Amino acid sequence: MIRFEDLVEKVRASNPDADSELLRRAYVFSAFEHKGQVRHSGEPYLVHPLEVANLLAEMKLDVVAIAAGLLHDIVEDTQTSIERIRELFGADIAHVVEGVTKLGAIQFSSSEERQAENFRKMLLAMVDDIRVILVKLADRLHNMRTLHHLPEERRLVIAQETRDIYAPIANRLGMSKVKNELEELAFKYLEPKAYESLRQRVEGRRRATEGLIEELTKTISAKLTEAQVPVMHIDGRIKRLFSIHQKLKKQKIDLDQVYDFMALRIVTQSVKDCYAALGIIHQTWSPVPGRIKDFIAMPRPNGYQSLHTSVISERGFPFEVQIRTAEMHRIAEEGIAAHWKYKEGRVGADRDEQYFLWLRQLLEFQQEVRDPQEFLQNLKIELYPEEVYIFTPKGEVKALPRDATPVDFAYSIHTDVGHQCVGARVNGKMVPLRTRLRNGDIVEIVTAPGHQPSRDWLNFVVTSRTRNKIKHYIQGEEKQRSLELGRKLFEKEARRFNLNIRSLTDGPAFAATLTEYGYGKADELFAAIGYGKVAARTILTKLVPQEQLKEAPESGIASVVRRVLGPAEEKIKVRGFDDLMVFRARCCNPIRGEKIVGYITRGKGVSVHSASCSNVVNLLYDPERRIEVEWDKGADTSPYTVRLSLHVEDRKGILADVTSKIAGINTNIRNVEARSDDDQTGRIDMTVEISDVKHLQKVIKSLRSVDGVVDVERASR
Ligand code: MN
């Protein structure tokens, strides 16, 4: 068991000016408060805060953090209040203890909703004072080290929480030493069988591997000396069990195929020496293609820097080499804790700012998110940063999460670039916007002024920033659009009965109706009508006596006016491929130029059908809800996908003839399927991109001209 004197010595070694008197008072107070309490191990409780303080001292944190480590369980486990701690030890220490106590009260394994709320609190605590989370991590690390004393049920809960939350947070803060130990311990308790069998297999190879490490270290050392590349130290290690386990599971490979089962680490004095050493390594052994990673030029978002490469030894044994400077090494191991001690006056807090940036952004974007499921999903993406590096055509690098798309990339450049993005060139080629980007892709975004984000993008974008930007935009648009729509619908309905809109909305009856429906303003009511939540007719019945709501025959004057000026009533315009409140019905999938009709649909706005849609023809829709619609000329010109079904003679080469005919008239094919029926005939189903009804007619006509094509039909979905 560690003694308090050892702790003070450790603190003094890295910080001679540390206030050891403060630490002593915290220690004595903690000993007094926890007196008589024991841990599951049977040891006096005091061992725990002392060990936690020791871990914090090893991270070389300040006395506030270490004292808070000594005091961290007092408020939770004794009668003493946080006010008392504030009186005795000051506001800073009390603040950290309070934060840790609050985090301790959080149950992460509870229902999803509470979990999301708890995450939010935890993140807020972190942004507030990072020492809260550092003390909590030290607390969790010591609890994990002594987890075997706990009953199994508790062990599993704590280990799961460690794997899901604390290890990823340590990782995000760059604290790989802490993260690694937390992950290994969680693996041991969560999957004891897998852990034990892997441990034995790795153990079986340990002796041979260690011999090899020694041999390779000597070789490298000699080569580097010969080339006059100064090296601070070289060490070798066997990959951690948990990361081997993950690798085997993910890549479905055998232990022998793990390239970085064994890794050598070379620590140099300068960046220049890192690259020099890399050159020497590649001259000595053959590098494995595609495994060279330059995290010095492109640090990971958590600040990690290093050169990685995998090479094959003379005996055909692959191993990984990591090369970094001493400073990079320290940051790789300790992350934010490595920066912490500089904060008090000496060096600027810029690096810390970087660590916090992702957190601040996350919180900022999360403030609007009400759905806990969605919050958790966003958070998961942020906490498990498997990122890809993407280049702008000018060579600028952006780190994006794995599976990011050109749309995510566009939003990472600027919100407006995202909103107006219509296409992307990846490595010089145009690709669909839903394409998953890969490491090293050079991406150029094509924008069109005035273009709007599409709801469809939400199905494939990856970063929460992008999602939130798109949603925010769509919600604003939707509101605007449903307001416009609702007002038109109301006006149209009023006109049917020759009612004056001005006098309808000015009177007290209108105000009373707003109150009855719980709307503050007329606009809110109109928006609700536009959404289909309330029918315009229902509102009218509130405003005028029933007998006025009989369809009046058009008055003489009105019909003259109409004849002179054309129809007074404005049609609802359909903007095209991706309209927000006016959407194309799935049953007939109408395309630009086709004759269309609209129906108000509850809570969705207006659904637009082809006038020839069988559902419309068969009067499946309530004519009361029918409204006039027309295509908005000059709006969105993105292509529609249309499915065509071809009845063909079953002859060789017909598929090739059909596809080349389509390509010949500049039409994109999304998908083709061909099959033959029994009677010497076949069927080709294809999905093509069509801009409007004229284009469709042209495609059908030229398909019919192909030799062997019997018939072409537009397939309903
Ligand atoms: Mn504790």
Side-chain angles (χ1 to χ4, degrees):
M1 169 186 162
I2 180 162
R3 296 178 314 144
F4 177 69
E5 283 67 29
D6 303 332
L7 176 68
V8 171
E9 213 167 285
K10 197 171 277 177
V11 174
R12 276 255 165 95
S14 57
N15 181 8
D17 303 332
D19 184 353
S20 55
E21 202 31 52
L22 175 70
L23 290 181
R24 183 171 304 277
R25 282 200 294 124
Y27 171 70
V28 171
F29 189 69
S30 185
F32 177 77
E33 291 291 324
H34 289 300
K35 199 168 160 190
Q37 296 176 347
V38 286
R39 301 196 89 213
H40 273 95
S41 60
E43 289 174 306
Y45 196 88
L46 187 63
V47 172
H48 171 64
L50 203 49
E51 289 287 352
V52 169
N54 184 48
L55 284 167
L56 294 164
E58 278 172 8
M59 295 178 195
K60 302 192 175 66
L61 297 187
D62 62 5
V63 282
V64 171
I66 297 168
L70 288 167
L71 302 167
H72 81 272
D73 273 332
I74 289 179
V75 177
E76 198 192 329
D77 291 348
T78 74
Q79 301 296 315
T80 305
S81 69
I82 191 70
E83 282 72 34
R84 183 83 181 120
I85 297 206
R86 193 170 293 124
E87 270 165 42
L88 291 171
F89 297 99
D92 277 1
I93 291 177
H95 185 77
V96 177
V97 171
E98 193 178 15
V100 176
T101 307
K102 280 183 188 158
L103 289 186
I106 291 173
Q107 282 289 321
F108 286 102
S109 45
S110 61
S111 79
E112 200 122 73
E113 186 153 349
R114 275 188 55 204
Q115 201 177 340
E117 193 43 43
N118 289 336
F119 254 125
R120 218 189 301 250
K121 281 185 199 145
M122 174 126 125
L123 292 170
L124 282 168
M126 283 170 77
V127 175
D128 185 23
D129 187 331
I130 193 69
R131 286 173 292 195
V132 171
I133 199 68
L134 294 176
V135 173
K136 187 67 202 171
L137 284 171
D139 175 44
R140 177 49 58 107
L141 185 55
H142 184 243
N143 285 337
M144 285 299 287
R145 283 179 181 175
T146 53
L147 200 61
H148 55 279
H149 296 296
L150 262 54
E152 194 191 351
E153 213 179 302
R154 290 287 301 144
R155 281 207 297 254
L156 290 177
V157 171
I158 292 174
Q160 190 67 49
E161 186 180 272
T162 300
R163 177 182 280 180
D164 291 345
I165 292 157
Y166 289 101
I169 284 178
N171 182 41
R172 210 61 186 72
L173 296 175
M175 304 168 71
S176 71
K177 226 158 81 180
V178 173
K179 179 210 76 167
N180 289 347
E181 191 175 347
L182 289 176
E183 276 183 354
E184 289 294 277
L185 288 164
F187 179 33
K188 181 172 156 186
Y189 290 107
L190 288 174
E191 298 165 82
K193 278 190 191 139
Y195 176 86
E196 190 48 32
S197 102
L198 187 61
R199 194 189 63 77
Q200 281 176 18
R201 286 168 70 199
V202 168
E203 213 45 53
R205 294 174 54 168
R206 182 175 295 279
R207 188 179 290 257
T209 308
E210 278 171 354
L212 198 62
I213 288 176
E214 203 174 312
E215 197 180 302
L216 292 170
T217 306
K218 267 188 202 150
T219 314
I220 291 185
S221 191
K223 294 268 183 193
L224 291 174
T225 311
E226 190 189 310
Q228 294 182 326
V229 179
V231 168
M232 299 182 69
H233 58 89
I234 302 178
D235 56 59
R237 54 152 190 110
I238 291 176
K239 196 176 174 67
R240 289 175 307 116
L241 293 180
F242 183 61
S243 48
I244 297 178
H245 175 67
Q246 275 180 310
K247 203 156 240 189
L248 297 183
K249 234 169 59 179
K250 203 154 104 196
Q251 305 183 355
K252 300 200 168 55
I253 52 174
D254 194 60
L255 194 55
D256 300 321
Q257 292 163 287
V258 177
Y259 276 127
D260 47 2
F261 175 75
M262 179 188 99
L264 291 185
R265 186 177 295 137
I266 302 174
V267 178
T268 68
Q269 283 167 348
S270 70
V271 170
K272 180 176 72 84
D273 292 342
C274 289
Y275 289 100
L278 182 70
I280 305 288
I281 302 288
H282 285 171
Q283 277 169 30
T284 312
W285 298 288
S286 318
V288 179
R291 299 226 13 126
I292 304 163
K293 291 174 200 149
D294 186 348
F295 295 119
I296 291 182
M298 292 181 278
R300 284 184 172 151
N302 68 8
Y304 177 86
Q305 287 188 291
S306 208
L307 297 175
H308 289 191
T309 184
S310 292
V311 296
I312 310 281
S313 77
E314 292 92 337
R315 287 191 244 149
F317 190 85
F319 63 99
E320 188 181 67
V321 185
Q322 302 175 351
I323 308 165
R324 54 178 86 141
T325 66
E327 174 69 4
M328 291 172 192
H329 183 53
R330 211 166 53 83
I331 290 165
E333 300 256 292
E334 297 168 23
I336 194 169
H339 298 296
W340 180 252
K341 61 178 172 168
Y342 294 118
K343 262 202 108 166
E344 283 165 340
R346 277 180 281 173
V347 179
D350 305 10
R351 294 297 294 250
D352 291 338
E353 286 302 314
Q354 273 186 24
Y355 282 109
F356 286 126
L357 195 58
W358 69 276
L359 255 178
R360 293 227 174 88
Q361 282 182 351
L362 182 68
L363 278 172
E364 209 175 286
F365 297 130
Q366 296 310 332
Q367 263 152 18
E368 296 298 308
V369 180
R370 286 268 166 269
D371 180 6
Q373 188 98 35
E374 191 179 327
F375 176 73
L376 278 185
Q377 199 191 355
N378 287 347
L379 188 80
K380 251 181 202 152
I381 293 166
E382 302 290 343
L383 277 183
Y384 296 83
E386 289 185 89
E387 61 273 3
V388 289
Y389 297 98
I390 307 300
F391 294 85
T392 67
K394 285 180 186 153
E396 238 179 286
V397 189
K398 299 264 174 202
L400 292 171
R402 210 160 72 165
D403 288 341
T405 63
V407 176
D408 293 293
F409 180 74
Y411 277 96
S412 80
I413 298 170
H414 194 276
T415 305
D416 288 338
V417 176
H419 285 345
Q420 300 181 3
C421 122
V422 288
R425 245 184 295 271
V426 171
N427 306 324
K429 261 204 232 141
M430 284 301 289
V431 299
L433 287 176
R434 56 170 63 240
T435 307
R436 303 293 176 199
L437 297 175
R438 285 182 312 189
N439 241 334
D441 278 348
I442 300 169
V443 181
E444 189 185 341
I445 297 296
V446 183
T447 58
H451 186 264
Q452 298 169 357
S454 152
R455 178 185 289 282
D456 180 48
W457 291 357
L458 292 173
N459 295 327
F460 56 75
V461 297
V462 165
T463 68
S464 44
R465 179 189 155 83
T466 305
R467 294 189 75 77
N468 290 315
K469 292 276 182 199
I470 296 172
K471 278 199 175 158
H472 188 77
Y473 186 90
I474 289 179
Q475 277 160 10
E477 277 291 291
E478 224 169 52
K479 225 180 185 170
Q480 193 52 42
R481 192 84 170 109
S482 55
L483 170 62
E484 270 169 40
L485 191 61
R487 190 178 282 135
K488 270 183 200 161
L489 293 173
F490 184 73
E491 286 172 2
K492 179 183 140 82
E493 195 67 14
R495 238 181 252 124
R496 260 175 71 186
F497 304 106
N498 286 326
L499 295 166
N500 180 306
I501 296 148
R502 178 59 60 77
S503 61
L504 282 179
T505 53
D506 275 352
F510 190 72
T513 308
L514 284 183
T515 316
E516 186 189 335
Y517 281 86
Y519 296 114
K521 286 185 299 190
D523 280 0
E524 291 171 28
L525 175 66
F526 291 139
I529 294 174
Y531 268 115
K533 283 185 197 155
V534 189
R537 171 74 72 96
T538 313
I539 300 301
L540 279 185
T541 62
K542 304 272 175 190
L543 301 179
V544 294
Q546 188 61 38
E547 57 270 19
Q548 284 190 39
L549 295 180
K550 289 202 187 89
E551 263 191 266
E554 217 162 17
S555 77
I557 294 170
S559 85
V560 171
V561 168
R562 185 157 304 181
R563 240 177 292 142
V564 175
L565 298 177
E569 143 194 321
E570 217 184 313
K571 288 179 179 173
I572 304 293
K573 292 214 185 329
V574 178
R575 288 181 183 161
F577 169 67
D578 187 58
D579 205 338
L580 290 167
M581 295 309 297
V582 180
F583 59 95
R584 291 154 57 237
R586 286 178 150 260
C587 52
C588 51
N589 197 21
I591 62 174
R592 207 176 290 114
E594 235 176 317
K595 240 177 103 50
I596 46 176
V597 293
Y599 290 91
I600 303 166
T601 306
R602 183 168 285 271
K604 281 174 141 185
V606 176
S607 67
V608 174
H609 294 259
S610 156
S612 62
C613 168
S614 57
N615 289 339
V616 172
V617 175
N618 297 331
L619 298 172
L620 284 183
Y621 292 100
D622 182 3
E624 285 280 292
R625 288 171 27 217
R626 181 168 168 152
I627 56 166
E628 298 290 314
V629 288
E630 70 181 11
W631 296 100
D632 189 0
K633 292 189 183 64
D636 190 3
T637 52
S638 324
Y640 306 102
T641 55
V642 172
R643 275 186 30 208
L644 296 175
S645 182
L646 283 66
H647 189 198
V648 296
E649 287 166 15
D650 196 2
R651 70 160 171 87
K652 245 199 192 129
I654 187 152
L655 186 60
D657 289 353
V658 163
T659 51
S660 74
K661 191 79 181 186
I662 298 247
I665 51 172
N666 272 328
T667 301
N668 282 333
I669 305 177
R670 283 270 186 99
N671 178 38
V672 187
E673 267 172 59
R675 62 192 149 82
S676 46
D677 298 336
D678 321 329
D679 55 348
Q680 301 294 302
T681 65
R683 197 155 271 290
I684 298 174
D685 289 320
M686 60 196 328
T687 307
V688 288
E689 289 182 359
I690 296 293
S691 59
D692 60 18
V693 75
K694 276 190 191 137
H695 182 198
L696 178 65
Q697 283 157 359
K698 187 173 160 196
V699 169
I700 292 181
K701 197 174 155 207
S702 56
L703 281 174
R704 286 199 170 124
S705 74
V706 175
D707 192 23
V709 171
V710 181
D711 195 17
V712 182
E713 274 181 351
R714 178 173 168 195
S716 58
R717 284 170 166 266

